[in-house]
């Protein structure tokens, strides 16, 4: 067996620890060697679990880990781009949690950094982790669509709906999340681009949102439920729903309607293969959160990213696509707030004058 | 439109009232003209609802209703055969609730009466109402099996499982019901004969039962849960489950496994097309009782029986089959009690000596 | 049993014949006495099946049927309003197929005629037949929502998606249908008003459509797939999808997301309770068309309309609501064509100036 | 992180290679160091994939691998017991594929060897791998049953049904498989003992089998479809179905009916969360084979066995239970062939005389 990819994880909060665990124990070709976090308690927990070197400073980690090959950026969204760019410029492979940034411009700067760096490090891999692309069911759906099984995919409907968290966490979180379309629907937008083609051109976006359970979200220009339409050039359209109000658990599902059939992913959500027959009827549980639904996809992501770095394989998705998804998400969020439909010409420029 | 079939219903307890309602209001070609019952309150209710003539005596009803053409026997099982035979002998069409009798011999006497009577009344129709044969889903399954869609049907699995009735009703009822295999599984046995062919020859039956919730059933040689095997000559076998202990509602489902596929009926029971997403997961309700599951089938039965009488059509099932089902059900019940497997030769005679 | 409601059906094409059949044979308290149609062959078929009097002229039918009490208007949409108004003005009960008209103004004129007529005929009943309101599953959902089971209903998602008809029928039909939002989504809009309350105030509508399979629809300003958003005042929003491109059959489903749970109707469509296990996996069929899905609802509609006429009961829905649904559907269709979002103030007036 | 368990795999045919892969790459705390097989090509493939030492002889492997701690016996069933006993006697931890042997007596000899050996090696772990016990859905079901969620589990129904393999493989395989009840239903029997309690006492077994597709199986006293009943003392019973004739794929499901509810595992089998809407209806695929259904369970098994060896934890199931399952499976197979019901007294002895 070949040598193992030497990996560090930046940011080891809830999601970062999961990435660390996937690389440390469930990615045979990778070796987790270091983690960093500004929180000492998190470092202690990681040291205890993985026996790795720990750093309070991202820069120090890069400076000291001489054998390091790849960095997983799982820190808070506000520093994604900064850390990713630093790692890129030093030639490391980078797996950055989504989104690169809540700002399309900053997201673009990561791509720019990579385009510049890859001239010096031609085998360098940089990926924004859209975990659903690694999910077995979505992949099955994509293969079928690619095979022409449903004809031309024409209408795309997808939702990312989180379980209600009555603690108020989402209100505080909304200040930095970029809003529900950037935070949640970014996945659905990425999927739309995947299924329709990454070169799909947006013709318009419209969004409407409400605050059904957490009116305080409005102070951050956010909503707890929102619906949106992305119109594409070439007879394609996408319909989105995002929510933070689900009672039963994580409800992420996608349907692709083609000229000759439809494929549905997870429209009948479930935790496992158990059904309970009780005096109140038949019941099944569903995953309580995003990780409960997509854990296997994250592990696949870690393994495939590792393989791509070691083998110099082409990554399954482009970094440009991640910027495009942020751009669309931001436009939807803007429409949500302004109440205006936003039109684009075929070059991607806004068509503002049309309404005057 | 042709004249309406003049119908009377004998026995208007819960099920009899339903039959009366089906014929009075949901069978356009029938007219309900009379009912009988030994219970005056039932007669009053029927008179109120249907405006029909009422009789405390079955015999009086037959004697007085000069225009009567068809009798629905929905009285208690113990008088099914007696009333059916009387009506048969006077030339009426008869729709008799299942079973003809809990005794195979008495059931046979109904067939004998009909065989004799039909010589005088060649257009006379007599049917034992196995309602599932009129259910749209079972019919769809049967059509597919008949078309050869699953190859040769080889293994048949079916269950009739009632919701738990904690009132103790079933204990009292068990005294006259013929036991759980005759009362519940009779439907599954009839279906096995339908799907395998009514000329199928039983090679052996075995049954095991338990009293999980109502040990008092044992005093009537009955059980609250039982499983059984019917082995047929010609590489076919059936597996049965009957229960009076279901928590969620009526759980009647059937699977037919063929050499080239399988058809399942109602293995995902449901009341309607509603799913509820709650903090405890996803839930749907299921029908609370047999009628909740099969109401439409009973109405179809009423309409098709009526049409067969008026048009002199061949009935969809033979009266002999009803006797065969009772015979098999009785044998299973006997095996349940004795703990012995019961073998039959190809002529249908018991093979007792084999074990000695 | 009381006397039977004397009913005539105007228009006996495919749907009209079904209504005729429901009233003639499946509505015990109604009697079908006459039908009219400009097509002699249709009259012949109806005479053959029902033995009723037939008329080539609607006016002649009304003039000649002295015992007539109720008229079912099932003619082509273009004459719905005219026939309904004539019948209303003569004091008949009227059940009019949806929509009253594709024009909100003409639809309103039916309401106006009724408001005027009901002064003279205080027991007169006039209903626009939104069949889904009579469907057992939708009613179950509505009862639960009314009971507060899901908290405050906040997001409504619904679709009416027809099986692809490659014959080109829909292109010709589009000339008079009012467009896909008026023809198909009218049901979903009516349901949104039902679940959110008929007094809900629309804040904006937006729609996007494509022609994925039938580009000729554009000459009638129509599309074969469209998505729309209805924003309501008071933190509620609806998301619609309508299509004429489904491969598998009729796909009508609805989800109501509340602050405390969700109810889904028919998100797992099926024809019956049969599942087929084949070499290609597990398969079930789904209804091929609208009637296949909603036949029972139409029959319930016929019976309840009849009962309301005979008993002078309040109808389950207001005629005004039917106009409101047409108004919203027309606005969505307009947005589909213009590409503009349409805003409304709380009085229901358009807010045109806002964008200047 | 602690040191890794040093593991060898004996037998690297299809299933053995999977075990090797699980231990080599998906069990972080284990290290695969050697494999053995009488087939050189298999050794070459393993060397290529894992870089491990290879042996044509099981004995040589044990003799030469000085650091070896645990042996996975995945060779052909006929040598399971022999290899397991050798490894046990030398003090290795052993994970043996099911069944220990098709013979209850030989199976017992493995237990005897372990009981003797464990006196010298008190931390030694020996487990027969019933993979379903490691499946997340079965574990969820077990937890619920243990919590009393369904009251007293009373009726157990389970099936192991393989996809039809038209190659004739199963006919050759039947010579050594022990028959369909020992080969397939052994899993269901193990589950019955798990859910009812490993101390459950069998009162009787009965089985019936047919050859619907492969009559040649009869020459090895086997069948391609069989049904069976296990009656337990204490008001419990199990109903089994095993088949090698499924069209759609692997169909393994289990239902546990309790006095207060039911739990169903995999009664709606599926490969993943994808549904396909096609002109023929709605379709989903199901796993083609046992491994497709239970891959995750095998990986969990490898990890938990490893942890138990390293931590000296108690294994999740007893070796005695594995013998009991073989004993019951053999009795069912005997009943299948003889056509006789087999009764047992409460001490587990056969009651032969009862019938004379």
């Amino acid at each position: 067996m070949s040598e193992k990819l030497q990996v560090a994880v930046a940011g080891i909060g809830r999601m970062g620890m999961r990435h660390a665990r996937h690389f440390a124990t469930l990615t045979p070709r990778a070796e987790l060697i270091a983690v960093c976090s500004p929180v000492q308690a998190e470092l202690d927990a990681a040291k205890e679990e993985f026996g790795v070197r720990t750093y309070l400073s991202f820069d120090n980690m890069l400076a000291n880990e001489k054998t390091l090959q790849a960095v997983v950026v799982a820190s808070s969204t506000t520093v994604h781009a900064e850390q990713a760019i630093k790692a890129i410029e030093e030639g490391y492979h980078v797996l950055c949690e989504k989104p690169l940034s809540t700002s399309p411009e900053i997201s673009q700067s990561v791509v720019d950094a990579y385009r510049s760096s890859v001239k010096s490090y031609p085998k360098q891999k940089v990926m924004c982790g859209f975990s659903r692309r690694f999910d077995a069911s979505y992949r099955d759906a994509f293969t079928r669509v690619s095979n022409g099984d449903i004809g031309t995919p024409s209408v795309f409907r997808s939702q990312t709906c989180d379980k209600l968290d009555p603690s108020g966490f989402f209100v505080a979180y909304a200040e930095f999340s970029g809003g529900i379309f950037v935070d949640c629907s970014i996945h659905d937008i990425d999927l739309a681009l995947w299924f329709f083609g990454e070169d799909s051109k947006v013709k318009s976006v419209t969004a409407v949102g409400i605050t059904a359970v957490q009116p305080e979200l409005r102070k951050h220009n956010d909503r707890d439920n929102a619906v949106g339409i992305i119109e594409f050039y070439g007879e394609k359209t996408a319909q989105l729903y995002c929510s933070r109000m689900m009672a039963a658990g994580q409800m992420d599902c996608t349907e692709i309607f083609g000229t000759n059939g439809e494929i549905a992913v997870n429209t009948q959500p479930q935790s496992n293969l158990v059904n309970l027959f009780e005096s109140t009827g038949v019941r099944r549980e569903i995953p309580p959160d995003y990780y409960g639904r997509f854990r296997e996809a994250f592990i696949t992501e870690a393994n495939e990213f590792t393989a791509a770095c070691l083998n110099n394989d082409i990554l399954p998705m482009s970094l440009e696509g991640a910027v495009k998804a942020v751009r669309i998400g931001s436009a939807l969020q803007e429409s949500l707030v302004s109440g205006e439909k936003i039109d684009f010409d075929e070059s991607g420029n806004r068509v503002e004058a049309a309404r005057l």
Side-chain angles (χ1 to χ4, degrees), chain A residues 160-165 170-171 174 179-181 184-185 208-227 241-246 333 336:
Chain A
T160 297
C161 294
D162 294 351
K163 189 165 186 172
L164 177 66
D165 176 347
F170 279 124
V171 177
I180 195 165
F181 277 110
C184 291
S185 296
V208 164
I210 62 171
T211 52
V213 284
Q214 289 170 321
E216 313 80 26
L217 285 168
R218 288 187 176 262
K219 71 183 171 202
H220 300 305
N221 273 334
D222 210 358
R223 306 290 186 272
D224 50 33
N225 284 270
V227 295
Y241 175 34
C242 45
S243 174
R244 303 200 186 280
M245 188 184 76
M246 294 298 105
Q333 192 73 16
L336 171 79

Side-chain angles (χ1 to χ4, degrees), chain A residues 9-12 34-38 43 53-58 61 83:
Chain A
V9 174
I12 46 171
V35 299
C36 73
S37 164
L43 296 178
R53 287 177 292 279
T54 62
Y55 299 87
L56 284 162
S57 147
F58 179 79
M61 182 170 75
Q83 293 184 341

Side-chain angles (χ1 to χ4, degrees), chain A residues 4-10 15-35 49-50 52 69-74 93-97 127 291 297-310:
Chain A
K4 294 189 172 189
L5 185 74
Q6 304 295 297
V7 178
V9 174
M15 201 59 225
M17 275 298 273
R18 288 168 179 161
H19 281 294
R21 204 168 289 125
H22 301 163
F23 278 95
T25 64
L26 295 162
T27 305
R29 299 184 68 191
E31 183 172 356
L32 182 73
I33 60 172
V35 299
E49 180 168 346
F50 308 116
V52 292
Q69 294 172 286
V71 178
V72 178
V73 178
H93 304 297
V94 175
L95 170 57
C96 183
E97 253 295 326
M127 182 166 84
Y291 188 68
F298 281 110
I299 296 169
T300 301
E301 181 186 74
N303 278 274
E304 295 199 2
F305 175 74
T306 297
C309 294
L310 291 171

